[in-house]
Amino acid sequence: MLKYDKNIQSIRGMHDYLPKDTVIWRYIENILITILDSYGYNEIRFPIIEDTNLFKRSIGEMTDVIEKEMYNFTDRNENNLTLRPEGTSGCVRAGIENGLFYHQEQRLWYLGPMFRYERPQKGRYRQFHQFSAEAFGQIGPDIDAELILITARCWEKLGINHHLSLELNSIGSLSSRISYRIKLIDFLEKNLSNLDHNALRRLYSNPLRILDTKNTKTKELLLNAPILSDYLDDDSRVHFSELCQLLNFLGVSYTVNPHLVRGLDYYNKTVFEWVTDSLGVKKTICAGGRYDQLVRELGGHSVPAIGFSIGLERVILLMQEINNNPILNKNIYVDVYLISIGNNSRKHAMLLSENIRSTLPSLRLMVHHGGGNIKKQFYCANKHKPQIVLIMHEKNALEKTIILKHLQSKTQEILKHDEVSERLKHILHITCNSTDNQ
Ligand code: ATP
Ligand code: MG
């Protein structure tokens, strides 16, 4: 076997999620999934790797993602493949390939890792996770409002709603953007000295992306730039005004940000972002928009669509920053720890634990393995912070009884095997058919 001088480490910008983290991840995922379920959305799963051309065609060649962030590689057969940088492209590809859009509307969600070769920093990683929803077959703006309502409900349930605000814009149709593009280039050409290297590079290839700049000098300049909304086509204008009216009626607050554009080329009409100031610099937690041409561009019928993606790492950072959620401080605990003294009692303890689990599926019951004296076993039990320790001596095994010890009150009682579940249920206030252990 080869011996290495240095231990092999994880790839830069890609993280392990340990048990203390996964409790939080599962808590958040459960909330999001329950909300999407309640709106009638269904889960879709598709591969993490796709043909590189899929992303090139959908995201657009002149975008950050395609130009510098993709994880591309060739497989043994010289196929050009890419680790997905986002989910919409794969979701649309899967929908077309499986006939999901054929005379049907679809409301879908998915969750999983995305990969972008970025400079790692707080809230920006090379492997990160998105929770996304996509609605196909509806021209809106009612579905646009629904997706925004869903996200608003997610923030409320996660307790971060007071730290997020909604920015909204319409980037119109492709043709209305062409006339705006000419005006914008005109304006920028007159102010070249205020443009940074990135803006200059994009001046002719993707000038709209300059609107999204983080450079303060360029930002100041853009305050006087022509505004996209002045060039919107009538259809987009009506759509946007109806969406705004709907959101007003529904009581959703938002700011219209005329500089909001998205980093991927497939968007049109409605675009939105949920942003926060609570993470040092202004950060986007969730972004979404319409992409009415994408299904057709990828070979399907003409199917209007809209979606959003939530960056889960940023949600967690925000929750940690606010730190108002008890789940963040929750230990990884068990409710009950079962110890057995003597060789013969061990198998009876395991059998009893199986019966208890069948009756109380939501109970967290850990059985001690590996034997040892009672002191050692209690030492192990305490590490898992149980409320109750069940103790089975050889004598108990023969009598079909068990000792139930309450760790807090230090009291104990002896129970018959067939009484244990009922007693635990009562003490721990467990509802029998619940699998929710939060
Ligand atoms: P940014 O402007 O921050 O680079 P983006 O426009 O590239 O974001 P999207 O493609 O819209 O991001 O992805 C949706 C969400 O996914 C973002 O709002 C963010 O919360 C999250 N996200 C994107 N890239 C990363 C990353 N490298 N690490 C962690 N989260 C990310
Ligand atoms: Mg980005």
Side-chain angles (χ1 to χ4, degrees):
M1 211 169 136
L2 279 176
K3 202 163 183 286
Y4 293 94
D5 293 342
K6 254 175 91 182
N7 288 338
I8 297 170
Q9 302 202 315
S10 72
I11 297 165
R12 190 164 126 84
M14 303 198 179
H15 299 288
D16 304 310
Y17 296 98
L18 306 179
K20 69 175 172 37
D21 307 310
T22 54
V23 190
I24 301 167
W25 280 82
R26 277 177 56 183
Y27 169 80
I28 295 172
E29 288 165 7
N30 282 340
I31 286 180
L32 300 180
I33 292 170
T34 307
I35 291 174
L36 269 291
D37 262 350
S38 78
Y39 283 81
Y41 286 59
N42 293 315
E43 184 183 8
I44 180 164
R45 297 187 191 195
F46 44 88
I48 283 170
I49 302 172
E50 299 272 359
D51 188 322
T52 304
N53 285 325
L54 172 68
F55 300 113
K56 284 194 176 164
R57 266 169 76 181
S58 59
I59 296 173
E61 301 258 8
M62 287 300 177
T63 56
D64 273 358
V65 174
I66 297 293
E67 278 185 330
K68 28 180 213 199
E69 296 175 0
M70 297 250 280
Y71 273 93
N72 298 327
F73 63 100
T74 49
D75 68 6
R76 285 162 194 271
N77 212 14
E78 300 297 314
N79 296 310
N80 293 319
L81 306 177
T82 298
L83 287 180
R84 64 183 185 192
E86 55 94 52
T88 306
S89 312
C91 182
V92 170
R93 198 265 316 132
I96 296 170
E97 198 169 323
N98 295 284
L100 293 191
F101 307 137
Y102 198 69
H103 294 312
Q104 295 172 66
E105 89 180 29
Q106 294 287 346
R107 298 186 201 185
L108 306 171
W109 66 263
Y110 51 87
L111 147 73
M114 306 294 160
F115 304 85
R116 294 186 194 177
Y117 194 84
E118 301 209 63
R119 196 166 67 78
Q121 53 193 285
K122 184 176 172 188
R124 193 175 294 285
Y125 313 102
R126 291 185 175 174
Q127 176 176 331
F128 62 99
H129 296 77
Q130 288 184 338
F131 183 96
S132 311
E134 317 278 1
F136 295 94
Q138 307 218 35
I139 53 167
D142 39 7
I143 192 77
D144 305 23
E146 177 170 287
L147 285 184
I148 289 171
L149 284 172
I150 290 176
T151 48
R153 189 177 287 276
C154 294
W155 316 142
E156 202 188 324
K157 275 274 174 199
L158 293 170
I160 54 177
N161 47 327
H162 296 306
H163 296 260
L164 285 170
S165 54
L166 175 63
E167 297 195 351
L168 201 61
N169 195 19
S170 175
I171 58 170
S173 65
L174 199 63
S175 54
S176 67
R177 283 209 296 280
I178 290 171
S179 45
Y180 172 69
R181 191 175 176 275
I182 296 166
K183 298 284 173 200
L184 182 63
I185 293 176
D186 253 12
F187 170 83
L188 295 171
E189 276 177 336
K190 292 190 188 102
N191 294 282
L192 289 180
S193 60
N194 285 323
L195 298 182
D196 64 0
H197 163 72
N198 252 333
L200 285 171
R201 201 169 54 83
R202 293 216 167 92
L203 184 54
Y204 301 105
S205 58
N206 198 351
L208 263 74
R209 259 314 244 172
I210 300 175
L211 300 179
D212 202 24
T213 181
K214 295 186 171 88
N215 180 299
T216 31
K217 221 166 144 195
T218 316
K219 264 189 173 168
E220 262 170 41
L221 168 71
L222 287 171
L223 294 176
N224 299 315
I227 289 181
L228 183 52
S229 53
D230 292 340
Y231 296 83
L232 284 191
D233 52 293
D234 287 345
D235 186 28
S236 299
R237 202 187 299 278
V238 171
H239 186 108
F240 191 58
S241 119
E242 282 178 7
L243 173 61
C244 291
Q245 284 169 33
L246 199 47
L247 292 176
N248 294 341
F249 175 80
L250 294 163
V252 180
S253 317
Y254 58 87
T255 319
V256 176
N257 173 358
H259 290 149
L260 182 65
V261 288
R262 303 284 311 115
L264 319 175
D265 277 357
Y266 51 61
Y267 288 107
N268 68 301
K269 286 187 178 163
T270 312
V271 291
F272 64 93
E273 287 191 5
W274 285 96
V275 296
T276 183
D277 286 323
S278 306
L279 288 176
V281 288
K282 187 169 150 185
K283 280 247 161 63
T284 305
I285 297 283
C286 166
R290 258 193 178 272
Y291 50 95
D292 295 327
Q293 314 303 327
L294 186 61
V295 179
R296 202 179 52 198
E297 271 164 27
L298 292 179
H301 300 275
S302 179
V303 178
I306 179 166
F308 68 73
S309 280
I310 300 174
L312 291 177
E313 279 82 358
R314 292 190 193 176
V315 166
I316 291 176
L317 277 176
L318 184 56
M319 286 172 72
Q320 283 165 340
E321 197 68 35
I322 305 165
N323 200 15
N324 66 350
N325 197 310
I327 189 78
L328 297 174
N329 305 316
K330 189 172 151 175
N331 288 311
I332 308 142
Y333 68 91
V334 301
D335 302 310
V336 178
Y337 196 90
L338 197 165
I339 69 186
S340 54
I341 315 295
N343 279 341
N344 188 42
S345 56
R346 220 184 279 179
K347 58 179 185 283
H348 291 283
M350 280 186 88
L351 184 64
L352 176 64
S353 74
E354 287 303 305
N355 291 337
I356 297 172
R357 288 192 191 98
S358 299
T359 322
L360 303 175
S362 68
L363 180 79
R364 296 220 345 143
L365 164 61
M366 185 181 272
V367 174
H368 183 89
H369 294 300
N373 62 28
I374 192 157
K375 197 170 158 207
K376 177 190 160 193
Q377 294 200 37
F378 258 99
Y379 177 77
C380 294
N382 282 329
K383 286 190 188 163
H384 300 282
K385 298 193 181 356
Q387 288 188 51
I388 286 168
V389 174
L390 295 174
I391 309 153
M392 191 184 285
H393 294 279
E394 298 267 1
K395 182 167 166 272
N396 299 116
L398 288 173
E399 289 172 354
K400 291 201 179 309
T401 59
I402 193 134
I403 301 168
L404 184 154
K405 183 159 181 164
H406 303 251
L407 287 197
Q408 210 176 13
S409 64
K410 299 204 165 44
T411 55
Q412 64 179 49
E413 52 193 296
I414 297 181
L415 295 166
K416 289 264 182 216
H417 285 185
D418 55 10
E419 296 168 346
V420 187
S421 295
E422 200 50 41
R423 186 73 184 120
L424 288 174
K425 186 176 151 192
H426 179 76
I427 300 169
L428 298 168
H429 311 291
I430 295 168
T431 37
C432 242
N433 51 5
S434 157
T435 49
D436 177 15
N437 202 28
Q438 303 303 341

